[in-house]
Amino acid sequence: MLYLIGLGLGDATDITVKGLRAVKSCSRVYLEAYTSILTVGKEALEEYYGKQLILADRDLVEQGADEILKDADVTDVAFLVVGDPFGATTHSDLVLRAVNAGIPYRVIHNASIMNAVGCCGLQLYNFGETVSVVFWTETWKPESFYDKICKNRAAGLHTLCLLDIKMKEQSIENMMRGKKIYEPPRFMTVSQAAEQLIQIIERRRSEEEEELGVTEDTVCVGLARLGADDQAVRAATLRQLASCDLGGPLHSLVVTARLHPLEVDMLRLNAAPDALQHLRMIDSSTYTS
Amino acid sequence: MLYLIGLGLGDATDITVKGLRAVKSCSRVYLEAYTSILTVGKEALEEYYGKQLILADRDLVEQGADEILKDADVTDVAFLVVGDPFGATTHSDLVLRAVNAGIPYRVIHNASIMNAVGCCGLQLYNFGETVSVVFWTETWKPESFYDKICKNRAAGLHTLCLLDIKMKEQSIENMMRGKKIYEPPRFMTVSQAAEQLIQIIERRRSEEEEELGVTEDTVCVGLARLGADDQAVRAATLRQLASCDLGGPLHSLVVTARLHPLEVDMLRLNAAPDALQHLRMIDSSTYTS
């Protein structure tokens, strides 16, 4: 049996009882380590499970699936994923390979950012399409996520922005020389994402005449380490978030749309003191009852 | 402290280790019992936790919040919610009351249908706005969810349809007489939801000239008891789902939009044999790479 087990968000104890039992029963346990991270590392999980974990980076999952699935028809193998196994990133490919090899699989679900984002008080059924924000390079500055946010906003829907993670990144120099030397992992912060959005807004403002769908004064929510003891939730304008420090990874950003009064009240619990004015503004103008 | 604890989907062991510890430490434990259900009942949970649970129906949560929060500043109280506490239904009101009363609160997340739906192989970031489908009555047959589905579909986005639950429903006769006698709980099935959708399609076809956004041949996915041992996932056309029986509650329905090849491969794992033709049709015509 192949178990795909969600670890949830936060720390080692966010696994479900069902998931923990499955981990303990498996002969090999892989930890997917390239789409998300917990606030604790591999060692803390190993100690908690009383088991060795095998780190599964992108190469292993995409090219070494046979190794992961080896003997899984006669023994139990676990594949651990931070959040939910079918959360922001699906592991459909691994499942399809298992099925093709005649290996049964079972999914043990858990929280992911896709639903835990509701804790900021915005209602999940008021969210539109989720977008990803990638680190820009000198030569590659995609803006399509901005258009999707505007489209959601025009339809009265909030947007969850998943922020880029760079694991095992090679410098161009090392890549050219074929050296498998990796840069330290990078995790996009709320402030970096807000800064990129503001750059897009400024560029478009200078080029376009029509009113922009999202501006520096749009109320957004910065989220960090959701589910952990030290999680941070900050409701503020985009401009304010560009200069905020929410601490260590992972971060996510929500761009709000039309707000329900109850959503405003919830955002106020986590509003930066200097953002209250903007939330008050919302009270009297943009939200609908 | 007020703990809002997600129970996940499935059975008693789908609670997280962190959530179980909190339940065991609380002096009072409420079970929210009107927006969702597990495949096991209150008694099974009580036995598993070794604790008495207090059933919290809508009246208690909406009008008896003071009772739930009583002494929560000096003792720990747990409020258990199937799925995630901020899943499809938020419990913002309870949180706001706690904060106003100076009671700290903590959320322990878990899987909800909003993210677990990914197990059918459709990618979560290809979903648009979630809709609710309510039981029609003789005089009230809302259709707005159909328009939202079509809007999502036109944007290339799948739609998760949450299906109605009627708990503690009073007959009009008993309501008029002021008798607190309740009808047995009702849970909308995939087949009932598909049937209502088809009625809308037929009505609109007779009245409108333009092409309909969703028809009887649209590929949909019926989901039942997600996360439980006997969960059912069925990919089929809307017409086929109207006559399928996926067993006991809870059910949900997904209306697909443009499909990625990997999504088609995953749907095929759960396709009704007679639906394969429609999925093949998709292969050659509607999906984009």
Side-chain angles (χ1 to χ4, degrees):
Chain A
M1 175 81 83
L2 170 69
Y3 286 97
L4 294 111
I5 303 173
L7 299 185
L9 308 164
D11 62 33
T13 62
D14 284 297
I15 193 170
T16 64
V17 174
K18 191 182 274 178
L20 183 59
R21 282 182 190 164
V23 168
K24 287 184 182 287
S25 77
C26 283
S27 55
R28 291 199 314 284
V29 183
Y30 294 88
L31 173 64
E32 192 265 69
Y34 62 95
T35 61
S36 190
I37 55 159
L38 289 178
T39 52
V40 297
K42 172 169 170 273
E43 292 70 28
L45 294 179
E46 286 179 328
E47 195 185 326
Y48 186 69
Y49 304 147
K51 282 227 157 183
Q52 293 273 307
L53 300 184
I54 306 163
L55 271 188
D57 60 16
R58 192 183 291 271
D59 285 352
L60 179 60
V61 176
E62 292 183 355
Q63 287 149 45
D66 292 346
E67 192 182 322
I68 296 174
L69 296 174
K70 187 161 174 278
D71 303 328
D73 49 341
V74 290
T75 185
D76 287 340
V77 174
F79 185 75
L80 309 185
V81 182
V82 173
D84 186 76
F86 290 91
T89 301
T90 64
H91 289 285
S92 303
D93 193 63
L94 189 63
V95 167
L96 289 168
R97 282 170 188 270
V99 172
N100 287 337
I103 297 164
Y105 74 97
R106 176 140 190 222
V107 178
I108 300 180
H109 291 287
N110 209 320
S112 76
I113 182 66
M114 305 290 279
N115 70 335
V117 64
C119 75
C120 72
L122 298 172
Q123 308 197 337
L124 287 188
Y125 47 74
N126 291 340
F127 278 74
E129 186 179 358
T130 299
V131 305
S132 294
V133 183
V134 296
F135 279 115
W136 280 352
T137 66
E138 277 302 305
T139 52
W140 192 60
K141 301 189 175 183
E143 296 193 355
S144 58
F145 69 95
Y146 177 82
D147 298 305
K148 286 185 180 174
I149 294 171
C150 293
K151 196 170 170 187
N152 280 340
R153 219 171 124 77
L157 300 170
H158 314 312
T159 308
L160 170 62
C161 306
L162 303 175
L163 308 186
D164 205 1
I165 295 177
K166 291 280 184 200
M167 307 288 276
K168 297 189 78 172
E169 191 182 14
Q170 280 176 290
S171 68
I172 291 176
E173 195 184 337
N174 283 326
M175 205 186 294
M176 305 260 284
R177 294 184 181 173
K179 287 191 182 171
K180 293 212 162 175
I181 299 172
Y182 303 105
E183 304 299 307
R186 290 194 294 154
F187 306 95
M188 187 183 286
T189 63
V190 161
S191 133
Q192 289 170 322
E195 185 50 49
Q196 284 194 188
L197 264 168
I198 287 174
Q199 283 189 43
I200 297 172
I201 292 165
E202 287 172 349
R203 199 190 63 66
R204 299 225 178 174
R205 187 176 286 127
S206 68
E207 292 184 5
E208 293 172 26
E209 290 195 16
E210 75 231 68
E211 206 179 322
L212 294 175
V214 176
T215 72
E216 297 89 340
D217 292 323
T218 298
V219 172
C220 297
V221 186
L223 307 156
R225 301 173 305 289
L226 267 203
D229 290 340
D230 67 341
Q231 77 171 25
V233 177
R234 178 81 53 91
T237 65
L238 191 61
R239 194 196 318 270
Q240 289 171 323
L241 287 181
S243 58
C244 79
D245 178 5
L246 296 184
L250 289 178
H251 289 197
S252 308
L253 176 71
V254 178
V255 181
T256 70
R258 194 174 51 217
L259 292 161
H260 183 278
L262 207 55
E263 292 181 316
V264 174
D265 289 342
M266 285 295 289
L267 288 188
R268 205 174 265 128
L269 297 182
N270 298 301
D274 46 353
L276 281 177
Q277 193 190 342
H278 286 275
L279 283 173
R280 268 201 300 272
M281 245 169 53
I282 292 170
D283 280 351
S284 60
S285 61
T286 51
Y287 78 72
T288 61
S289 59
Chain B
M1 174 81 84
L2 170 69
Y3 286 97
L4 294 111
I5 304 173
L7 298 185
L9 308 164
D11 62 34
T13 64
D14 283 297
I15 194 170
T16 65
V17 175
K18 190 181 276 176
L20 184 58
R21 283 183 190 164
V23 169
K24 286 183 185 286
S25 78
C26 283
S27 56
R28 291 200 312 281
V29 183
Y30 293 89
L31 173 64
E32 191 266 72
Y34 61 95
T35 62
S36 190
I37 56 159
L38 290 176
T39 51
V40 297
K42 173 170 170 273
E43 291 69 29
L45 294 178
E46 286 179 328
E47 195 184 326
Y48 186 67
Y49 304 147
K51 282 226 158 190
Q52 292 272 308
L53 300 184
I54 307 162
L55 271 189
D57 60 16
R58 191 183 291 270
D59 285 350
L60 179 59
V61 176
E62 293 182 356
Q63 287 149 43
D66 292 345
E67 191 183 322
I68 295 175
L69 296 175
K70 187 161 175 280
D71 302 328
D73 49 342
V74 291
T75 186
D76 288 341
V77 173
F79 185 76
L80 310 184
V81 182
V82 172
D84 186 74
F86 290 90
T89 300
T90 65
H91 288 286
S92 303
D93 192 62
L94 190 62
V95 167
L96 289 168
R97 281 171 186 269
V99 172
N100 286 337
I103 297 164
Y105 74 97
R106 179 142 187 221
V107 178
I108 300 180
H109 291 288
N110 210 320
S112 76
I113 183 68
M114 303 291 278
N115 69 334
V117 63
C119 74
C120 72
L122 298 172
Q123 308 196 339
L124 286 189
Y125 46 75
N126 290 340
F127 277 75
E129 185 179 0
T130 298
V131 305
S132 294
V133 182
V134 297
F135 279 116
W136 281 351
T137 65
E138 277 302 304
T139 52
W140 191 60
K141 301 189 175 182
E143 295 193 355
S144 59
F145 70 95
Y146 177 83
D147 298 304
K148 287 185 179 174
I149 295 170
C150 292
K151 197 171 170 188
N152 280 340
R153 218 170 125 78
L157 300 170
H158 314 312
T159 308
L160 170 61
C161 306
L162 304 175
L163 309 186
D164 205 2
I165 294 177
K166 292 278 185 202
M167 307 288 275
K168 297 188 76 171
E169 192 181 13
Q170 280 176 290
S171 69
I172 292 175
E173 194 185 336
N174 282 325
M175 204 186 295
M176 305 260 284
R177 293 186 182 174
K179 288 191 183 171
K180 292 210 164 176
I181 299 170
Y182 302 105
E183 305 299 306
R186 289 194 295 154
F187 307 95
M188 187 184 283
T189 64
V190 161
S191 134
Q192 289 170 321
E195 184 52 49
Q196 283 193 190
L197 265 168
I198 288 173
Q199 284 189 42
I200 297 173
I201 291 164
E202 287 173 347
R203 198 190 62 70
R204 299 226 178 175
R205 187 176 285 127
S206 67
E207 292 185 5
E208 293 171 24
E209 290 198 12
E210 75 230 69
E211 205 177 324
L212 294 174
V214 175
T215 72
E216 297 89 339
D217 291 324
T218 299
V219 172
C220 297
V221 185
L223 307 156
R225 300 173 305 288
L226 268 203
D229 289 341
D230 67 340
Q231 76 171 27
V233 177
R234 177 82 53 89
T237 65
L238 191 61
R239 193 197 315 269
Q240 288 171 323
L241 287 182
S243 57
C244 80
D245 178 4
L246 297 183
L250 288 179
H251 289 198
S252 308
L253 176 71
V254 178
V255 181
T256 70
R258 196 173 50 217
L259 292 162
H260 182 278
L262 207 54
E263 292 182 316
V264 173
D265 289 343
M266 284 294 290
L267 287 189
R268 205 175 265 126
L269 297 182
N270 298 301
D274 46 354
L276 280 176
Q277 192 190 344
H278 286 274
L279 283 172
R280 267 202 301 273
M281 245 169 51
I282 293 170
D283 282 350
S284 59
S285 60
T286 50
Y287 78 74
T288 61
S289 59

